[in-house]
Amino acid sequence: MLQEWLKKSESIPRKHGLYRMEAILEALGNPEHGLKSIHIAGTNGKGSTAAMMTAFAKAHGLRVGTFTSPHMDSIRERIQLDGVPLGEEPFWQAASVIRGVESRLLEEWGAFNYFEILTAMMFVVFQQEGVDLAIIEVGIGGLLDNTNVGHPLVSVITTIGLDHQDLLGSTLEEITAQKAGIIKAGQQVVVGPVTRECMDVIREIASEKGATVQAFGEGFFLIEDSYQDTSLTIPLKQLALKGAFQKENATVAIRAFRAWMEATGRSVQAEFIEASLPVVSWPGRMEVLQETPLVIIDGAHNLPAIERLVQNMTARVGKKQTLLFSALTRKDSQQMLLRLQEALPDVNIILTSFHPSRGLSIARSDVEAYLDSRKISYEESFEDIIDRFASSTDDRSELWVTGSLYFIAEVRHWWKNRKPKEE
């Protein structure tokens, strides 16, 4: 069964490097070569930026393929056509093609891992569908990521912060060099709000490659809730995605999409972009599950994302807030929890567990050191906690659910299938 084969591939170690991916794609006839793509790297904001550019492309009448990770409800969300997850039949047809290639290359390369399979499937689907634009999100890092093949017309680096230090390096400069590894010769590179030190690394790599850099706050701007460059102003007040940082993501998305349109001899219609902004959605990021009392989920799975979560929570003055947190044990939960305690002294923090498809979530033993605080507690069942808050009649109460994206995906799946408790 293909489903069993794909499930089994999750346990095969991820191999960072391009030589295996290049061999797989060569066996497929190099489907990546004909794509006119945008490649997106960054610590946070990749998925939201991809979702916005997908909406812009659709509004301009383009056929668009989008590749993102992780998924929330279905693995088919990772490969989308015109913003819609790939259907069951074409998804498994593409998987069958990759399994056939694996059998031919098995002796030389061994079994393919999960991300190799999905990346190869994406390239096959996008070639078969003849997409006008392929929007491809990096898995981890950039330089050695499986997606870093072909020659995108535009590369995007959304933000840079400390994450995946075990793979990408211990300093921001080292991490930046990995993410800037997606830069290709002669292309345009659009960079979001990053520090000067990170920008210096990006400019140096771009200069070596002969790429042109468009930097947030230099070549394009976010001014008074509007995107602005030398010839275009687009209001962002109607942006559906919640959180102040989404306006930064929108600004980067507009500039990157405009760069791609210019590279393909097309013109951006400002009214099409403006009309797209109120309808863009991205699950699991500042997503409201219930309005009153407020239950909101936000995947904040590293320190930069925690900082943005804190900004969003502290902006809501006069609310009685509780924060529910869980993460994979491989994540640096200690740093995130220390920052949450420091930044949100009046917020009750509840730590919990979940049952991810890969890895293990934090348990009581992992967080014992934090439980002597009167503001921090541990409860095993996130379901009971959310049920309790959702049925409250206190309209000043707010429950913010955060942590690993795998935790958020599980919460979201449970919520959609939950039966509210009887009054």
Side-chain angles (χ1 to χ4, degrees), residues 53-102:
M53 290 194 293
T54 298
F56 302 159
K58 285 175 60 183
H60 283 78
L62 299 171
R63 177 78 158 148
V64 55
T66 312
F67 182 62
T68 61
S69 62
H71 58 270
M72 285 284 136
D73 295 318
S74 164
I75 189 175
R76 295 181 291 105
E77 294 169 24
R78 294 177 181 234
I79 303 173
Q80 298 189 12
L81 294 170
D82 294 333
V84 178
L86 194 61
E88 286 273 2
E89 188 174 340
F91 182 90
W92 294 112
Q93 282 177 347
S96 179
V97 170
I98 307 308
R99 190 177 187 183
V101 170
E102 183 192 66

Side-chain angles (χ1 to χ4, degrees), residues 296 298 300 306 309-310 313 320-326 336-337 339-341 344 347-352 375-377 385 389 398-403 407:
I296 188 167
D298 186 39
I306 289 291
L309 173 74
V310 166
M313 290 183 70
K320 191 165 62 179
Q321 295 175 326
T322 298
L323 183 70
L324 178 62
F325 176 92
S326 192
M336 290 190 277
L337 285 170
R339 180 59 189 143
L340 287 169
Q341 279 183 283
L344 303 170
V347 172
N348 286 314
I349 300 174
I350 303 175
L351 310 179
T352 191
K375 286 289 186 179
I376 293 191
S377 59
I385 299 162
F389 274 86
E398 295 185 348
L399 178 65
W400 293 67
V401 184
T402 193
F407 172 50

Side-chain angles (χ1 to χ4, degrees), residues 107-396:
E107 187 174 340
E108 183 178 2
W109 295 105
F112 298 169
N113 65 51
Y114 186 74
F115 200 69
E116 287 171 341
I117 292 168
L118 289 168
T119 303
M121 286 172 59
M122 172 267 295
F123 282 123
V124 166
V125 169
F126 290 175
Q127 181 197 49
Q128 288 176 345
E129 293 291 330
V131 298
D132 299 305
L133 165 60
I135 299 170
I136 300 170
E137 179 189 326
V138 162
I140 295 177
L143 179 64
L144 302 178
D145 189 75
N146 290 148
T147 61
N148 196 25
V149 292
H151 196 107
L153 296 179
V154 177
S155 284
V156 181
I157 301 172
T158 55
T159 60
I160 294 172
L162 293 174
D163 194 24
H164 297 297
Q165 290 101 307
D166 55 328
L167 297 171
L168 305 181
S170 58
T171 68
L172 283 178
E173 287 81 4
E174 288 172 342
I175 291 171
T176 302
Q178 288 292 316
K179 295 187 186 301
I182 68 171
I183 295 173
K184 303 293 189 300
Q187 68 174 189
Q188 285 205 59
V189 184
V190 177
V191 184
V194 301
T195 66
R196 181 173 295 179
E197 291 76 14
C198 294
M199 197 69 232
D200 288 344
V201 174
I202 293 168
R203 287 194 190 281
E204 184 178 349
I205 292 172
S207 177
E208 290 170 1
K209 300 282 183 67
T212 304
V213 175
Q214 294 279 339
F216 181 95
E218 294 179 23
F220 61 99
F221 306 86
L222 174 59
I223 299 175
E224 294 181 353
D225 291 337
S226 291
Y227 166 91
Q228 291 187 24
D229 62 27
T230 53
S231 59
L232 196 63
T233 298
I234 299 176
L236 303 178
K237 290 179 181 176
Q238 299 304 311
L239 180 60
L241 294 175
K242 298 181 184 296
F245 62 90
Q246 291 293 6
K247 290 175 182 175
E248 295 176 356
N249 291 338
T251 302
V252 172
I254 292 169
R255 188 65 195 93
F257 180 69
R258 186 176 185 194
W260 184 89
M261 292 286 276
E262 290 167 353
T264 56
R266 297 177 168 94
S267 297
V268 164
Q269 302 298 312
E271 63 271 24
F272 292 172
I273 289 181
E274 193 172 346
S276 303
L277 294 171
V279 297
V280 178
S281 63
W282 191 239
R285 280 73 164 185
M286 290 292 291
E287 181 180 3
V288 174
L289 300 185
Q290 177 177 292
E291 291 282 357
T292 307
L294 180 70
V295 178
I296 188 167
I297 57 175
D298 186 39
H301 56 105
N302 51 43
L303 274 174
I306 289 291
E307 293 295 343
R308 291 183 163 185
L309 173 74
V310 166
Q311 289 172 19
N312 288 322
M313 290 183 70
T314 53
R316 295 181 62 83
V317 179
K319 299 296 183 180
K320 191 165 62 179
Q321 295 175 326
T322 298
L323 183 70
L324 178 62
F325 176 92
S326 192
L328 300 176
T329 50
R330 68 172 185 252
K331 280 287 180 186
D332 193 352
S333 302
Q334 285 191 349
Q335 283 191 358
M336 290 190 277
L337 285 170
L338 285 170
R339 180 59 189 143
L340 287 169
Q341 279 183 283
E342 176 187 59
L344 303 170
D346 298 322
V347 172
N348 286 314
I349 300 174
I350 303 175
L351 310 179
T352 191
S353 300
F354 68 108
H355 309 286
S357 59
R358 282 174 281 173
L360 297 169
S361 79
I362 57 172
R364 177 182 285 274
S365 57
D366 297 309
V367 294
E368 285 287 352
Y370 298 93
L371 301 183
D372 57 357
S373 165
R374 65 183 183 84
K375 286 289 186 179
I376 293 191
S377 59
Y378 179 88
E379 293 189 41
E380 189 70 34
S381 170
F382 73 78
E383 297 94 336
D384 288 349
I385 299 162
I386 298 173
D387 262 334
R388 190 166 71 239
F389 274 86
S391 58
S392 165
T393 56
D394 183 357
D395 61 6
R396 288 180 61 248

